[in-house]
Amino acid sequence: MCGIIGYIGKKTNIQKQLIDSLKTLEYRGYDSAGIAYVTDKVNIIKSKGKIANLEEKIDREEQGCLGIAHTRWATHGGASDNNSHPHRVGKVTIVHNGIIENYMEIKSLLEKEGYKFKTETDTEVACALLDYLKSKNIWNNLEVIREFAGYIKGSYALGIIFDDDLDTLYATRKDSPLIIGLGKDENLIASDVSAVLKFTKKYCLLDNYDIVKLTKEKVQIYNKDLKSVCKEQLEVNWNVEQAEKNGYDHFMLKEIHEEAKVLKDTINEYVENLDSFVDKMPDMRKYDKIHIVACGSAMHAGLIGKYLFENYPEIETTVEVASEYRYKKVFYDDKTLVILISQSGETADTIASLRKAKEDHIDTLAIVNVVSSTIAREADQVLYIRAGVEIAVATTKAYLLQVAMLMLINLKLMVEREKIDSSKLKEILKLLKSSPEYVEKVLADEKKYFKIAEKIYKDEDIFFIGRGIDYAMSMEGSLKLKEVSYIHSEAYQAGELKHGTISLIENHTKVIALMTDEDLALKTISNIKEVKARGADVILITTEKLDSDFEFVNEKVTLPKVDSYLIPILAIIPLQLIAYQVAKLRKCDIDKPRNLAKSVTVE
Ligand code: F6R
């Protein structure tokens, strides 16, 4: 989703600095980009499409040491040069992330004051509002930003340049992420830390309504009452190299290949030994119900959690899409635990669901990757997965770790509910500690998955089927495939297909069947035979234990011999790699699929 970077400091080739920084935000997904920089006045350059288009228009050597830049993911108004940011109205220039919900109302108020609008964006309205408040000549720039907040319904992170103070960069935020990069003789604003890494590893976070005034030497932060506030200085613990491809063709492939390592980092952190595991996991004895709330792949990880929680510790669990949960009537009480899952920790709907639960005084636990993100900070408790930076828009390693974390929570629930004795617990923890080796083994069969990709990449409809936990994994396999390869794909509970969807199966329709659940295997076989009888070509993902000489499958992936508890973190890997290779064969923009954004900060 939209990315912001703002710079003020010692470097003088400002256009180059802004463009290079924008490139580090490319992974978030965008459809236009622009910069504003100060010489003796504010200059704006913008362009629809890739940053490369913008780059063609800039002068990498032109002097200037203050600027703001933006990658836009269109919400209000299509992707065009005109609608892209920065926007300038009167004496104010801004870049904006978020959505101004009441912009139509503000627009008509401003039109009555004589403002004319050139774009369809809510951002131009926000910019005009700042200019209007400024034109009253009763407030200084900080006060103008404070007054602005009173008018706005919605979310924003803003980088602002006022014509009457061209030596200062202003910023503010509400419900959209914005961090301050703290350099030596240079300071920055950015929507995430990756954009400031080449300048500094030091940064601080802003709270809602904070207002910041940055000069080359100084960062002054004020709260909504304009009282000066001090923020904790944080330091990024990963470096620019980790945000690079390291010889892989794409970040997606690199990140899949990191799965064994990040799994090890995460498991080792929580499972040093039996006692430390029990202590590090939250106390969940008081709960008799769990709600898992998340979006997209994180929600699919939640489906695995539901399966585990209901089957092992036997605790009632519901999984809800956050964009629904936030608005629906929810039945919870003080014995309910709401688990929010989010890689970025900034997904708007998941944040809103978290806040809803908190307002209702329900306990919340977050599973998050990005340290100190909004969800991590606001949830009652947080369990970090240690995926490191994930650049590819389609999540792979973070999803796998979300599943692993749910497995750990599941074990803790089993301990608390006396569904496991200490020797069995020890055995499973040992197994989990060895899981990275199995991940390596599955990854080592990459060529086999790539061959399957060659057989399916020309298809336009691919179905995934599975029962129980295999259905949960099918959902993620199907999402991965469609989002990166643009092939239409659907996942179905294997037994549900014949209630309608089977009419879509014809000669050579590809069906990827997951069959890893021993208890349901015979049922799944019957469903596979049903599609086979209608002409489908079947690709089976199964385990060594269940494997047999199935005459009804066209292709087969057999997972290594391992305790079934580990299957959910293994079975997804071939599906991720098949999706990757299919997208590659179709020449798709794998790391930045069309229309998608890494961090979905608007609802
Ligand atoms: C799909 C994908 C998305 C995210 C979803 C939630 O590959 O990455 O479906 O899982 O947007 O994002 P987070 O986990 O950041 O809340």
Side-chain angles (χ1 to χ4, degrees):
M1 206 132 278
C2 307
I4 287 182
I5 175 87
Y7 176 87
I8 182 159
K10 60 189 173 197
K11 299 196 173 64
T12 52
N13 50 353
I14 185 71
Q15 297 185 47
K16 174 185 181 312
Q17 297 305 328
L18 293 174
I19 292 283
D20 290 351
S21 306
L22 274 186
K23 285 183 184 164
T24 65
L25 288 171
E26 270 194 300
Y27 76 94
R28 297 167 66 95
Y30 69 100
D31 38 45
S32 58
I35 61 171
Y37 62 98
V38 175
T39 49
D40 53 341
K41 60 179 183 18
V42 178
N43 311 274
I44 296 181
I45 310 174
K46 7 198 222 181
S47 188
K48 184 183 164 188
K50 296 285 172 200
I51 291 173
N53 302 350
L54 181 67
E55 206 170 0
E56 280 171 17
K57 298 186 183 175
I58 69 153
D59 172 354
R60 294 178 82 83
E61 299 310 322
E62 188 173 352
Q63 297 288 296
C65 46
L66 163 59
I68 49 180
H70 192 262
T71 48
R72 175 172 187 255
W73 188 83
T75 54
H76 294 62
S80 66
D81 284 5
N82 194 35
N83 285 338
S84 45
H85 301 208
H87 287 277
R88 179 170 169 80
V89 179
K91 294 179 173 156
V92 182
T93 308
I94 67 168
V95 286
H96 166 224
N97 282 0
I99 289 187
I100 310 293
E101 286 166 9
N102 57 340
Y103 82 106
M104 289 304 285
E105 207 178 290
I106 298 173
K107 191 171 184 176
S108 54
L109 184 149
L110 291 170
E111 277 167 343
K112 285 191 198 112
E113 298 293 331
Y115 281 88
K116 297 213 170 358
F117 292 90
K118 296 183 287 233
T119 78
E120 302 141 62
T121 64
D122 52 341
T123 303
E124 189 187 18
V125 175
C127 192
L129 177 60
L130 284 164
D131 184 68
Y132 167 68
L133 295 171
K134 221 179 139 41
S135 70
K136 295 191 164 194
N137 283 326
I138 44 176
W139 296 300
N140 65 31
N141 290 340
L142 287 174
E143 290 164 338
V144 162
I145 298 172
R146 179 197 59 196
E147 294 303 308
F148 168 88
Y151 282 79
I152 301 293
K153 287 201 183 90
S155 57
Y156 54 83
L158 293 176
I160 311 166
I161 302 173
F162 290 106
D163 278 9
D164 66 355
D165 190 3
L166 289 181
D167 296 322
T168 309
L169 171 58
Y170 290 84
T172 185
R173 72 164 284 235
K174 185 201 158 234
D175 291 343
S176 275
L178 196 69
I179 63 111
I180 307 297
L182 307 163
K184 189 162 174 351
D185 292 331
E186 54 188 357
N187 292 304
L188 301 105
I189 57 168
S191 38
D192 78 53
V193 282
S194 57
V196 305
L197 268 188
K198 76 181 180 87
F199 302 92
T200 178
K201 283 187 152 192
K202 298 197 170 73
Y203 69 103
C204 67
L205 301 166
L206 295 179
D207 289 310
N208 274 348
Y209 302 109
D210 281 348
I211 302 172
V212 197
K213 210 175 154 181
L214 290 101
T215 59
K216 185 170 144 189
E217 299 86 9
K218 221 161 143 192
V219 172
Q220 290 160 278
I221 306 178
Y222 303 89
N223 67 13
K224 64 175 189 308
D225 304 318
L226 295 188
K227 294 226 165 62
S228 177
V229 286
C230 283
K231 299 280 169 183
E232 186 189 353
Q233 184 175 302
L234 304 164
E235 196 152 341
V236 186
N237 59 4
W238 46 275
N239 53 36
V240 183
E241 290 70 52
Q242 279 166 284
E244 286 170 352
K245 287 187 205 144
N246 281 346
Y248 286 96
D249 286 349
H250 298 95
F251 281 110
M252 183 176 174
L253 188 62
K254 176 192 171 218
E255 287 160 8
I256 294 171
H257 279 276
E258 285 169 356
E259 286 177 337
K261 149 109 184 40
V262 294
L263 181 61
K264 193 169 176 190
D265 293 346
T266 305
I267 301 274
N268 282 353
E269 177 169 339
Y270 292 91
V271 191
E272 250 172 90
N273 56 52
L274 211 138
D275 292 337
S276 69
F277 165 73
V278 173
D279 292 344
K280 279 185 179 169
M281 286 285 130
D283 182 345
M284 295 172 289
R285 280 172 297 187
K286 78 178 230 209
Y287 307 114
D288 62 11
K289 214 190 302 169
I290 292 180
H291 289 185
I292 299 179
V293 186
C295 302
S297 294
M299 188 277 287
H300 295 159
L303 291 173
I304 308 267
K306 173 181 165 69
Y307 174 89
L308 297 172
F309 299 168
E310 291 187 340
N311 281 282
Y312 294 95
E314 296 178 7
I315 178 162
E316 187 189 332
T317 306
T318 59
V319 181
E320 303 259 11
V321 167
S323 54
E324 294 292 317
Y325 192 82
R326 63 182 293 186
Y327 293 117
K328 72 184 279 251
K329 172 111 193 88
V330 177
F331 299 94
Y332 44 26
D333 56 32
D334 59 0
K335 288 190 175 156
T336 310
L337 175 66
V338 178
I339 299 182
L340 297 305
I341 309 177
S342 175
Q343 184 283 127
S344 62
E346 300 294 351
T347 302
D349 287 317
T350 314
I351 294 174
S353 300
L354 163 67
R355 289 183 182 156
K356 170 178 175 151
K358 289 195 75 175
E359 266 164 33
D360 291 337
H361 307 288
I362 305 298
D363 291 352
T364 55
L365 166 67
I367 300 176
V368 175
N369 185 38
V370 178
V371 175
S372 299
S373 52
T374 304
I375 293 174
R377 284 188 288 155
E378 292 189 15
D380 297 321
Q381 298 192 69
V382 57
L383 291 170
Y384 282 114
I385 54 169
R386 300 297 181 189
V389 62
E390 192 178 61
I391 303 277
V393 166
T395 182
T396 52
K397 59 176 178 171
Y399 165 84
L400 187 129
L401 294 186
Q402 288 160 353
V403 172
M405 186 56 77
L406 289 161
M407 286 172 154
L408 292 176
I409 296 175
N410 183 56
L411 282 177
K412 178 71 192 298
L413 285 165
M414 284 167 77
V415 171
E416 289 172 347
R417 299 183 154 227
E418 295 177 2
K419 299 279 182 191
I420 190 169
D421 60 32
S422 70
S423 73
K424 183 74 187 162
L425 176 66
K426 233 185 221 163
E427 195 186 304
I428 298 195
L429 290 177
K430 209 167 144 209
L431 186 70
L432 276 168
K433 276 195 158 256
S434 67
S435 60
E437 289 164 33
Y438 292 96
V439 169
E440 293 283 13
K441 272 194 192 158
V442 178
L443 285 168
D445 270 345
E446 180 175 271
K447 286 209 174 78
K448 184 161 191 191
Y449 317 138
F450 286 1
K451 279 210 179 104
I452 294 176
E454 270 166 37
K455 302 240 160 81
I456 66 174
Y457 83 97
K458 289 188 182 145
D459 283 63
E460 288 308 328
D461 298 287
I462 296 181
F463 292 86
F464 284 72
I465 58 170
R467 283 174 176 262
I469 198 164
D470 288 322
Y471 170 62
M473 293 186 288
S474 300
M475 295 277 285
E476 178 57 10
S478 170
L479 177 64
K480 217 63 354 183
L481 181 72
K482 71 186 122 198
E483 67 181 330
V484 296
S485 74
Y486 314 149
I487 292 179
H488 166 249
S489 167
E490 289 181 45
Y492 269 88
Q493 297 94 336
E496 177 63 13
L497 216 59
K498 57 179 156 301
H499 297 284
T501 312
I502 203 160
S503 65
L504 295 173
I505 305 292
E506 48 190 0
N507 260 352
H508 303 303
T509 304
K510 304 293 184 295
V511 175
I512 300 184
L514 274 88
M515 188 181 75
T516 68
D517 186 324
E518 286 158 32
D519 297 337
L520 297 170
L522 288 177
K523 304 284 170 201
T524 307
I525 289 177
S526 306
N527 301 132
I528 296 174
K529 287 187 174 167
E530 286 162 8
V531 292
K532 189 72 200 166
R534 270 110 197 137
D537 290 348
V538 175
I539 295 137
L540 178 69
I541 315 283
T542 191
T543 60
E544 197 169 282
K545 196 159 175 198
L546 290 174
D547 194 10
S548 158
D549 216 0
F550 299 121
E551 82 292 351
F552 50 84
V553 305
N554 301 68
E555 301 290 335
K556 192 167 64 180
V557 170
T558 309
L559 299 167
K561 194 169 183 170
V562 66
D563 189 291
S564 61
Y565 200 71
L566 292 191
I567 293 296
I569 45 181
L570 301 183
I572 196 62
I573 298 169
L575 300 182
Q576 291 173 339
L577 283 164
I578 290 171
Y580 167 79
Q581 188 65 10
V582 167
K584 191 169 174 195
L585 292 167
R586 288 168 72 98
K587 303 196 179 0
C588 296
D589 192 354
I590 297 180
D591 287 333
K592 297 186 283 288
R594 68 183 177 214
N595 306 337
L596 294 182
K598 182 69 185 162
S599 175
V600 183
T601 50
V602 294
E603 68 171 289

